[in-house]
Amino acid sequence: MKTCRLLSFSLFLTSMMLMSGCLSPQPKDDLFKQLGSLAGIERFVDIFIREIGESKEVRPYFEDTNLDRFREKQIEHICLLSGGPCTYTGDSIVESHKGMGVNEADFNALVDTAIRAMNKAGYSVATRNRLLARIAPLRGEVMEVK
Ligand code: HEM
């Protein structure tokens, strides 16, 4: 009888945990999914690189850049920033922008480029703002001319 009661209690507990999602944990961060997972991020970065090429303010910075590497590192970095299952293998943000002399106007120009790319990628305003909120704190690591 006692075993029976114990069994039904544990069955009750299991079903409560299942209902509340305890046994099938949700990813703690769903921005990665909102961006369309890895395929969505790859698509966004391709559009972003095209937009950089069209921006007269930002394009000069990329004159000597290996765009294949830039693409790969951007994808990894955005994947990681959005909570995706990626490892970032690039240089630190400070290191990779050292000596570029990025000023506020050019920083903002790059953000505008990213916003245009996010629009073209079809991201909602909420998704856009979530990604921008994760990029914004890195501003101080990129800008050398305040
Ligand atoms: C918070 C904003 C930014 C983030 C998160 C960011 C992120 C990155 C990352 C992950 C890389 C690749 C590093 C590597 O190759 O190991 C990179 C490279 C680069 N970034 Fe940024 N970046 C930001 C802002 C900017 C701005 C404002 C500019 C210029 C206007 C810029 C210009 C570049 C260039 C030219 C490269 C390639 C450097 C090279 O050729 O080695 N970035 N950035």
Side-chain angles (χ1 to χ4, degrees):
M1 188 62 179
K2 221 172 172 185
T3 327
C4 194
R5 240 186 270 149
L6 208 67
L7 196 69
S8 46
F9 181 64
S10 53
L11 269 174
F12 169 75
L13 261 187
T14 311
S15 45
M16 289 309 284
M17 283 165 86
L18 270 173
M19 275 194 284
S20 66
C22 267
L23 294 182
S24 53
Q26 298 293 310
K28 82 176 180 335
D29 189 344
D30 62 354
L31 180 56
F32 176 69
K33 262 201 156 157
Q34 283 184 356
L35 295 174
S37 302
L38 203 53
I41 294 174
E42 285 169 352
R43 190 169 159 269
F44 160 65
V45 170
D46 286 337
I47 300 173
F48 180 46
I49 291 173
R50 277 207 297 279
E51 288 298 314
I52 287 175
E54 311 235 313
S55 159
K56 66 175 182 340
E57 292 96 350
V58 175
R59 193 163 94 179
Y61 282 93
F62 290 84
E63 218 94 277
D64 299 323
T65 295
N66 172 342
L67 287 180
D68 288 338
R69 177 192 161 98
F70 179 76
R71 178 184 186 273
E72 180 187 284
K73 304 308 172 199
Q74 283 300 324
I75 291 166
E76 289 174 3
H77 194 250
I78 294 171
C79 174
L80 194 69
L81 273 186
S82 63
C86 300
T87 306
Y88 176 62
T89 61
D91 298 331
S92 75
I93 297 301
V94 170
E95 200 53 47
S96 40
H97 300 87
K98 203 178 261 172
M100 280 188 201
V102 175
N103 61 22
E104 179 144 26
D106 293 340
F107 183 91
N108 292 341
L110 189 86
V111 170
D112 286 345
T113 306
I115 292 173
R116 276 198 299 278
M118 287 191 265
N119 281 338
K120 289 191 177 171
Y123 292 150
S124 69
V125 175
T127 301
R128 257 171 38 187
N129 289 343
R130 286 187 74 192
L131 182 58
L132 288 173
R134 297 192 191 190
I135 292 172
L138 299 170
R139 181 189 180 95
E141 295 180 31
V142 172
M143 266 174 48
E144 290 184 319
V145 187
K146 318 250 161 158

